[in-house]
């Protein structure tokens, strides 16, 4: 930690800066004060947290905004830099200290016409939404879902990347919170963004789709009813490894709460079991674990279709000569992977042979 900055904070420097934001002063002074605050808050998390304990920065900033009807663009940008550095993490500052920024940030997001201020504004909301469901709900309660979806149709990567990340955080909450975004038309831009030339964007979009597929069966069906599955399966054939891994996560996520009819679609139309099996040779546990869990979920559902003790999904895997590949995975050095494949072999293949 910089000793000079620490002394500045401990001796009341931040309080003095906030005092300079009070009253009618020149925009140039406001700009310099906000720039100084932003640098202090953005230096180190420990310094930021110390500053938050020594001065009520959020209240001072919001009062400054309330006292002024409008700002020059340079001042407005510096306000957003302050909020971005104030909320940044992890580790994040106490949510109780920063949550009062949400109404201001969301109001500006709904009404802002100046794209230059939007990236830092949205990153601030990304930070504030990275937590519990009640944080996500506070943001959604401001009514920004449609505006977020609108911004996903944009083409500026500097704006698109934080908007995608914000959408992903909002989708990580409850099914009800996910539904708010679906009702706002989220799947439309997501389908388009799968065609992005940037692998980072394709990967983040698949992560968002995975969050939807982890929801209830109506939300799973909403994805099924779009062109998203076909595009994801195409990407699974030729895209880079990180995108393929996210797609495997998404396919696995869909197996948890899908109806039996939806499982049938996953198995016979999407050929999910074939895609899982073809990647059993990978050493990466981050792809093996969702594959094994997805197969387990499918086999469990297949148990309800068994005739004469024969699970049709287990039989399908056997017909693909995949048992040797599963047995090979048992030699993986990771304990979780071993346990996952052991459950499959012992619980389904050997159990079926005994029957």
């Amino acid at each position: 930690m910089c000793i000079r900055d620490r002394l500045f904070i401990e001796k009341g420097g931040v309080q003095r800066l906030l005092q300079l934001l009070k009253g009618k002063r020149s925009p140039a002074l406001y700009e310099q004060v906000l720039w100084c605050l932003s640098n202090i808050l953005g230096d180190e998390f420990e310094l930021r947290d110390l500053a938050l304990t020594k001065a009520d920065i959020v209240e001072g900033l919001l009062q400054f905004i309330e006292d002024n009807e409008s700002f020059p663009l340079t001042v407005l940008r510096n306000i957003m830099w302050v909020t971005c550095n104030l909320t940044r993490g992890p580790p994040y500052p106490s949510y109780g200290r920063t949550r009062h920024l949400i109404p201001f940030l969301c109001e500006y997001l709904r009404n802002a016409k100046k794209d230059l201020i939007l990236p830092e504004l949205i990153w601030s909301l990304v930070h504030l939404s990275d937590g519990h469901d009640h944080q996500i709900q506070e943001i959604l309660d401001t009514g920004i879902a449609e505006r977020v979806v609108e911004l996903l149709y944009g083409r500026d990567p500097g704006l698109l990347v934080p908007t995608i990340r914000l959408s992903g955080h909002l989708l990580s909450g409850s099914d009800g919170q996910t539904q708010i975004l679906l009702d706002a038309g989220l799947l439309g831009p997501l389908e388009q963004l799968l065609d992005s030339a940037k692998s980072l964007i394709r990967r983040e979009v698949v992560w968002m789709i995975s969050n939807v597929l982890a929801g209830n069966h109506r939300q799973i069906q909403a994805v099924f009813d779009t062109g998203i599955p076909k595009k994801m399966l195409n990407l699974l054939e030729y895209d880079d490894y990180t995108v393929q891994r996210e797609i495997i996560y998404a396919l696995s996520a869909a197996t948890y709460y899908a109806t039996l009819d939806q499982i049938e679609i996953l198995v016979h139309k999407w050929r999910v079991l074939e895609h899982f099996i073809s990647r059993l040779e990978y050493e990466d546990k981050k792809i093996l674990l969702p594959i094994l869990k997805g197969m387990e979920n499918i086999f469990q559902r297949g148990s309800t279709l068994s005739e004469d003790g024969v699970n049709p999904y287990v039989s399908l895997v056997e017909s693909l000569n995949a048992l040797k590949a599963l047995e090979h995975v048992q030699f993986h050095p990771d304990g979780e992977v071993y346990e996952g494949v052991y459950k499959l072999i012992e619980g389904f293949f050997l159990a079926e042979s005994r029957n």
Side-chain angles (χ1 to χ4, degrees):
M1 178 186 293
C2 177
I3 296 176
R4 180 187 59 195
D5 289 349
R6 184 181 184 92
L7 285 173
F8 178 83
I9 295 169
E10 289 181 338
K11 296 299 182 180
V14 174
Q15 293 96 314
R16 179 56 184 150
L17 289 173
L18 293 173
Q19 287 291 326
L20 291 173
L21 294 178
K22 295 180 178 179
K24 295 298 181 181
R25 304 179 187 273
S26 72
L29 178 62
Y30 291 152
E31 184 181 341
Q32 290 300 308
V33 169
L34 292 164
W35 174 77
C36 185
L37 270 175
S38 178
N39 284 340
I40 292 169
L41 296 169
D43 191 10
E44 297 179 17
F45 294 133
E46 191 175 346
L47 282 174
R48 175 204 62 197
D49 293 343
L50 177 63
L52 280 167
T53 63
K54 295 294 183 180
D56 198 336
I57 300 173
V58 172
E59 181 179 346
L61 185 64
L62 292 177
Q63 189 61 55
F64 168 62
I65 294 166
E66 184 178 331
D67 290 343
N68 293 270
E69 294 182 359
S70 62
F71 299 101
L73 180 59
T74 53
V75 173
L76 194 54
R77 287 200 71 182
N78 280 5
I79 290 173
M80 298 308 169
W81 274 113
V82 171
T83 66
C84 190
N85 285 339
L86 185 62
T87 56
R88 192 165 53 96
Y92 294 109
S94 166
Y95 182 68
R97 294 184 182 275
T98 56
R99 61 185 291 266
H100 298 293
L101 290 168
I102 289 175
F104 155 69
L105 291 169
C106 290
E107 180 181 359
Y108 258 85
L109 181 61
R110 285 197 306 272
N111 300 314
K113 303 300 181 184
K114 300 171 182 176
D115 287 352
L116 288 174
I117 70 166
L118 289 179
E120 288 75 33
L121 186 161
I122 296 171
W123 277 119
S124 299
L125 289 172
V126 170
H127 304 153
L128 288 163
S129 62
D130 189 9
H132 300 289
D133 286 6
H134 70 271
Q135 296 173 228
I136 294 170
Q137 193 61 48
E138 285 200 59
I139 292 173
L140 290 174
D141 283 345
T142 66
I144 65 162
E146 291 185 0
R147 175 61 166 153
V148 171
V149 170
E150 175 189 337
L151 291 171
L152 287 171
Y153 282 106
R155 290 293 178 263
D156 177 8
L159 186 56
L160 194 53
V161 170
T163 305
I164 289 172
R165 186 60 60 86
L166 173 60
S167 303
H169 284 180
L170 297 177
L171 285 170
S172 68
S174 67
D175 288 355
Q177 291 166 338
T178 295
Q179 194 61 46
I180 291 172
L181 287 161
L182 295 180
D183 291 343
L186 177 71
L187 294 178
L190 294 193
E191 183 174 342
Q192 289 189 16
L193 287 167
L194 286 173
D195 297 324
S196 172
K198 296 184 178 294
S199 63
L200 169 65
I201 289 177
R202 296 194 302 275
R203 184 174 74 243
E204 292 282 313
V205 169
V206 175
W207 167 62
M208 293 169 63
I209 294 167
S210 179
N211 284 342
V212 178
L213 289 172
N216 60 50
H217 67 91
R218 289 183 296 275
Q219 293 165 347
I220 294 170
Q221 191 62 46
V223 177
F224 282 19
D225 291 340
T226 69
I228 287 173
K230 182 178 180 180
K231 287 189 175 183
M232 286 205 310
L233 293 176
N234 287 338
L235 293 175
L236 193 57
E237 296 299 325
Y238 70 82
D239 214 328
D240 68 46
Y241 178 74
T242 61
V243 178
Q244 290 188 37
R245 187 170 64 189
E246 288 295 336
I247 294 172
I248 292 296
Y249 287 162
L251 296 176
S252 181
T255 66
Y256 281 81
Y257 301 109
T259 64
L260 189 54
D261 286 344
Q262 290 167 340
I263 291 290
E264 284 279 281
I265 291 171
L266 286 167
V267 171
H268 296 298
K269 184 176 181 180
W270 291 24
R271 297 172 40 246
V272 163
L273 287 172
E274 287 96 322
H275 290 301
F276 285 166
I277 291 164
S278 68
R279 288 160 178 82
L280 285 172
E281 63 186 24
Y282 293 179
E283 294 295 323
D284 185 0
K285 66 175 286 185
K286 292 182 179 179
I287 199 169
L288 287 175
L289 288 176
I291 285 174
L292 295 173
K293 189 60 183 175
M295 292 179 72
E296 180 186 354
N297 292 340
I298 290 172
F299 290 165
Q300 285 177 342
R301 304 303 293 278
S303 298
T304 65
L305 300 174
S306 296
E307 295 182 7
D308 299 324
V310 177
N311 186 318
Y313 300 144
V314 174
S315 296
L316 173 60
V317 170
E318 289 177 326
S319 72
L320 297 170
N321 298 316
L323 187 54
K324 287 185 178 180
L326 282 168
E327 290 172 341
H328 177 73
V329 178
Q330 284 187 298
F331 296 100
H332 194 283
D334 183 80
E336 285 185 272
V337 172
Y338 172 79
E339 289 177 10
V341 73
Y342 178 81
K343 286 176 66 177
L344 286 182
I345 294 174
E346 180 66 24
F348 296 99
F349 292 92
L350 294 182
E352 186 164 301
S353 66
R354 286 193 292 266
N355 290 336

